[in-house]
Amino acid sequence: MILELVLQVAPGGGSSGGRLNSRKEAGLLAAVTLTQKIVVCLSDTTLMDILPKISQEVLLPVLGFLTSLSVGFPSGAQARVVLCVKTISLIALICLRIGQEMVQQHLSDTVRTFFGAFSLLQELQDQGLTVESLSGCEVPVMEVPLMEGKLLALDPAVLMELQKVFNPEMAYITYIPFSCLLGDVIRTVVPNHSLVEKLASLYLENVNPKNLQVVGLEQAPSMAGSDQDMRGTEAFSSPQEDSHSGTFGSVLVGNRIQVPVDTQREGLGFLRLSAGTDGFIPSSSCEENTLKHDLPRSTHMLCGNWLAYWQYEIGVSQHDPRFHFHQIKLQSFSGHSGAIKCVAPLSSEDFFLSGSKDKTVRLWPLYNYGDGTSEVPPRFTYSEHKKSVFYVSQLEASQHVVSCDGTVHIWDQFTGKLIRTFDELDSKAPITAVTTMPPPYHSISVASADSVLRFIDHRKPGLQHEFRLASGVNAGVMAGFSSGFIVLLDTRTGLIMRGWPAHEGDILQIKAAEGNVLISSSSDHSMTVWKELEQKPLHHYKSASEPIHAFDLYGNEVVTGTVANKIGVYSMLESSALPVSTTKLSSENFRGTLTSLAVLPMKCHLLLGSDNGVIRLLA
């Protein structure tokens, strides 16, 4: 998929003239970023199998655009700098994975193409084609002879753009880390290494002659505190890029992870460089003092409750299928002024949605942030509802948000633009339950108090289907009724295929699990697991004190919540009616009354909504 994306963005390998449009420019950046994310997850065998394809169909086409003298970028030199940094970071990541020998065999052309741009621009500069001389040039395309006897067609505006990118600073922040990664092999892979070394040395001398000096190995101990130490580890960084290569701010230095002193640019680590006939090499004379340096607390480092959480997680086997709840408060989300009625994590678990009695829906980020006491503000607030919002979810097939306050709202989660609303035709029979169909379906099921189930599709007006389930009883969630009755409905015909009395009280919540399993909870203090929708339950759980009004699924377990602020974990693989574990939420970790609950299955976290409008993330 990545290869197809790059080929669509760069069909000609960057050789054709003209300018990229903004969409293709963004496509190049996205392709390189996505490739980098995936390479990290590939096994060594898989990486080596597809490495030739990555080089020929991803890296070389992108480099064709990056080093082209006839194709301009809509965002100018800034976009080239960002793409340059991301591309060279991807190449360095692959070099780190496969080792020096494999780099010589599979990536020589790729690395040579990138660093060859410095020699080409140097040759053109020697011919007098500089930024100053080209600033008044009105010729759209000009031909320039090269030493090889070839004529090179170039666009003066694009040449000026390239000269701003492949400058001494770029030589420094790309060549130095590669020399650390490859050692002497770089002299074979990069034929013009002498020129690139010279440009890197020139940058070091011109940045700040008073503080940033290139020192020999014998001078390193006396200058351990200079600003030169701080610049050395800015591997593959630029003014537009975040130089932190690790999740919590670590920096890659050769085959060592260097932890920064703090989060400022001047504290990005310690890498001593020495200049000589052999180029730039890391100095080890000050490494002992560096490793002994006391590191202050950083916002990029785990601390507080997040550190405690990971200490628990490290001790848990990866093959343990159980949900472990330690009641560790990780974050709080404040912004709602009314009780939380529903929470819904998005599929990536990087964000979640919440609906509240304050008539708003809010989008929240889910990141490792703070020490457990921080309060995270919402990223976006949807305020088009007129009543309390009791349902919110993502329609995955179209990446839209569906929320309901008695009127169904379908809106764009990225822009907040309302796409469509659906009102119940009879105001005396309000909408009581909503659910979205799984992909690839675009349908939304809406149940009303007159026992009618309707299906709508945001892509077209009107109703898809309208089914009357029963008469004389009020419809609950999907095919559950306030009388405790459950029906199985054929959505193709609208016929009720099966029905049975499941509970003695109102059905509070119904969820479907894999393997034709259905879980229902009721106001009669019971929760029941149904297999193949048989009238005899597979499991039946009874709460002695209060009903289970909120629950979610985690594999073969059901995580439950009650108004008494108790979190229970029930196993569907065991016949016991008792929970595997029960935890009473402490007032320190959770204040108010629990109103809603959602499990983050990939992260093993719980999102808990309360009646005071605050949502808390606990593990």
Side-chain angles (χ1 to χ4, degrees):
M1 181 178 178
I2 304 172
L3 307 182
E4 293 176 357
L5 175 61
V6 175
L7 290 176
Q8 290 174 4
V9 173
S15 58
S16 59
R19 296 185 67 85
L20 291 172
N21 56 36
S22 299
R23 184 176 181 180
K24 290 184 178 181
E25 179 184 274
L28 287 173
L29 292 169
V32 175
T33 303
L34 186 58
T35 306
Q36 185 174 15
K37 297 293 184 181
I38 292 180
V39 164
V40 175
C41 303
L42 296 177
S43 64
D44 293 341
T45 303
T46 304
L47 177 60
M48 292 306 302
D49 288 342
I50 68 172
L51 184 57
K53 197 170 185 179
I54 291 177
S55 178
Q56 295 297 323
E57 300 185 23
V58 177
L59 296 176
L60 289 177
V62 171
L63 287 174
F65 269 113
L66 187 61
T67 60
S68 173
L69 287 165
S70 57
V71 179
F73 280 62
S75 303
Q78 184 178 10
R80 281 189 190 259
V81 168
V82 174
L83 182 61
C84 182
V85 171
K86 288 184 178 294
T87 304
I88 204 65
S89 298
L90 173 59
I91 297 173
L93 174 63
I94 298 175
C95 292
L96 192 63
R97 288 285 306 272
I98 67 178
Q100 298 177 358
E101 295 182 2
M102 293 296 102
V103 170
Q104 287 182 279
Q105 294 183 26
H106 299 282
L107 288 182
S108 293
D109 292 341
T110 304
V111 177
R112 190 179 300 114
T113 299
F114 176 82
F115 286 104
F118 291 98
S119 294
L120 178 59
L121 292 176
Q122 183 64 41
E123 182 178 348
L124 295 176
Q125 186 175 352
D126 293 340
Q127 296 185 27
L129 298 176
T130 62
V131 175
E132 292 78 10
S133 64
L134 294 173
S135 58
C137 182
E138 298 179 356
V139 180
V141 178
M142 56 190 305
E143 291 187 347
V144 179
L146 299 179
M147 290 189 300
E148 301 174 355
K150 299 180 181 179
L151 288 177
L152 177 66
L154 60 86
D155 184 338
V158 176
L159 178 58
M160 294 173 60
E161 191 176 295
L162 278 174
Q163 289 176 339
K164 296 177 182 178
V165 177
F166 291 92
N167 53 21
E169 181 181 7
M170 185 61 70
Y172 170 74
I173 64 178
T174 56
Y175 182 77
I176 300 302
F178 260 98
S179 66
C180 296
L181 282 174
L182 302 181
D184 293 336
V185 175
I186 198 170
R187 299 181 177 275
T188 304
V189 178
V190 183
N192 61 334
H193 60 86
S194 298
L195 171 64
V196 184
E197 287 178 1
K198 180 180 178 181
L199 293 174
S201 177
L202 179 65
Y203 170 74
L204 284 177
E205 293 173 357
N206 293 336
V207 170
N208 193 342
K210 295 182 180 180
N211 297 325
L212 296 177
Q213 300 177 4
V214 182
V215 297
L217 291 175
E218 68 279 0
Q219 295 174 304
S222 63
M223 297 188 63
S226 70
D227 292 340
Q228 154 78 32
D229 297 330
M230 310 306 180
R231 294 289 302 181
T233 55
E234 295 184 21
F236 318 127
S237 65
S238 72
Q240 294 83 14
E241 285 289 292
D242 182 4
S243 56
H244 294 156
S245 60
T247 305
F248 299 104
S250 59
V251 179
L252 188 64
V253 183
N255 61 349
R256 185 179 78 242
I257 295 178
Q258 183 71 55
V259 180
V261 177
D262 53 36
T263 58
Q264 303 299 323
R265 283 187 61 86
E266 62 269 21
L268 295 179
F270 295 85
L271 174 64
R272 175 67 57 184
L273 301 177
S274 62
T277 57
D278 294 333
F280 295 91
I281 58 174
S283 171
S284 59
S285 57
C286 63
E287 183 173 329
E288 182 178 356
N289 293 332
T290 300
L291 296 177
K292 293 180 180 179
H293 190 83
D294 291 333
L295 299 178
R297 186 178 297 275
S298 166
T299 57
H300 289 272
M301 299 179 185
L302 286 174
C303 55
N305 289 354
W306 280 103
L307 182 59
Y309 160 70
W310 280 107
Q311 288 174 341
Y312 276 114
E313 285 299 303
I314 291 173
V316 176
S317 172
Q318 294 183 355
H319 303 287
D320 189 353
R322 295 190 176 279
F323 183 85
H324 296 275
F325 183 63
H326 307 293
Q327 199 173 170
I328 302 174
K329 186 174 70 171
L330 301 178
Q331 283 174 218
S332 297
F333 304 89
S334 300
H336 283 295
S337 59
I340 306 298
K341 306 293 288 185
C342 50
V343 288
L346 301 188
S347 56
S348 63
E349 295 188 7
D350 290 331
F351 293 88
F352 75 93
L353 296 159
S354 63
S356 170
K357 202 173 180 178
D358 64 3
K359 308 174 186 178
T360 66
V361 176
R362 298 178 190 255
L363 178 69
W364 310 82
L366 275 170
Y367 299 132
N368 295 2
Y369 176 77
D371 59 358
T373 61
S374 60
E375 293 190 356
V376 181
R379 186 65 58 85
F380 174 77
T381 300
Y382 179 78
S383 306
E384 298 298 321
H385 285 285
K386 298 179 180 179
K387 293 184 290 185
S388 173
V389 180
F390 62 83
Y391 176 85
V392 64
S393 183
Q394 182 187 40
L395 187 60
E396 293 188 41
S398 60
Q399 296 292 294
H400 291 153
V401 176
V402 179
S403 54
C404 183
D405 64 347
T407 298
V408 177
H409 288 225
I410 305 167
W411 48 279
D412 190 306
Q413 68 185 36
F414 302 105
T415 64
K417 181 181 179 181
L418 179 63
I419 298 172
R420 185 186 170 190
T421 61
F422 176 79
D423 284 300
E424 184 51 59
L425 302 178
D426 186 0
S427 60
K428 297 181 180 179
I431 294 174
T432 57
V434 182
T435 188
T436 57
M437 301 292 283
Y441 303 104
H442 290 259
S443 299
I444 303 165
S445 302
V446 179
S448 57
D450 57 357
S451 304
V452 176
L453 181 65
R454 296 175 175 88
F455 288 81
I456 59 175
D457 189 328
H458 70 92
R459 299 172 298 178
K460 51 190 176 183
L463 296 173
Q464 284 183 295
H465 306 289
E466 184 176 57
F467 303 132
R468 182 166 294 278
L469 301 182
S471 59
V473 292
N474 292 329
V477 178
M478 194 65 176
F481 293 82
S482 60
S483 61
F485 205 78
I486 289 181
V487 297
L488 172 61
L489 178 76
D490 188 340
T491 56
R492 297 168 297 179
T493 62
L495 298 176
I496 296 177
M497 302 174 61
R498 191 176 306 161
W500 68 94
H503 297 276
E504 297 177 358
D506 294 357
I507 293 180
L508 301 177
Q509 191 174 4
I510 290 182
K511 286 204 173 187
E514 294 182 358
N516 293 330
V517 173
L518 189 73
I519 302 100
S520 61
S521 67
S522 172
S523 59
D524 63 4
H525 294 204
S526 66
M527 183 177 69
T528 307
V529 179
W530 311 91
K531 177 70 172 179
E532 303 290 347
L533 297 180
E534 296 291 340
Q535 296 189 18
K536 183 179 179 181
L538 182 64
H539 298 295
H540 185 75
Y541 311 108
K542 193 80 171 180
S543 174
S545 54
E546 63 277 333
I548 296 171
H549 71 287
F551 68 84
D552 206 351
L553 305 179
Y554 179 82
N556 291 313
E557 294 181 324
V558 184
V559 182
T560 65
T562 70
V563 292
N565 291 355
K566 291 182 180 179
I567 302 297
V569 179
Y570 294 82
S571 174
M572 292 188 288
L573 300 178
E574 300 176 4
S575 58
S576 173
L578 299 176
V580 176
S581 64
T582 303
T583 306
K584 172 70 174 179
L585 296 174
S586 67
S587 58
E588 180 182 354
N589 295 324
F590 188 86
R591 296 180 181 179
T593 301
L594 179 66
T595 56
S596 55
L597 173 151
V599 174
L600 301 176
M602 289 189 291
K603 300 179 179 179
C604 299
H605 295 168
L606 274 182
L607 282 170
L608 304 177
S610 63
D611 62 344
N612 57 20
V614 179
I615 305 167
R616 290 174 176 83
L617 180 68
L618 278 73

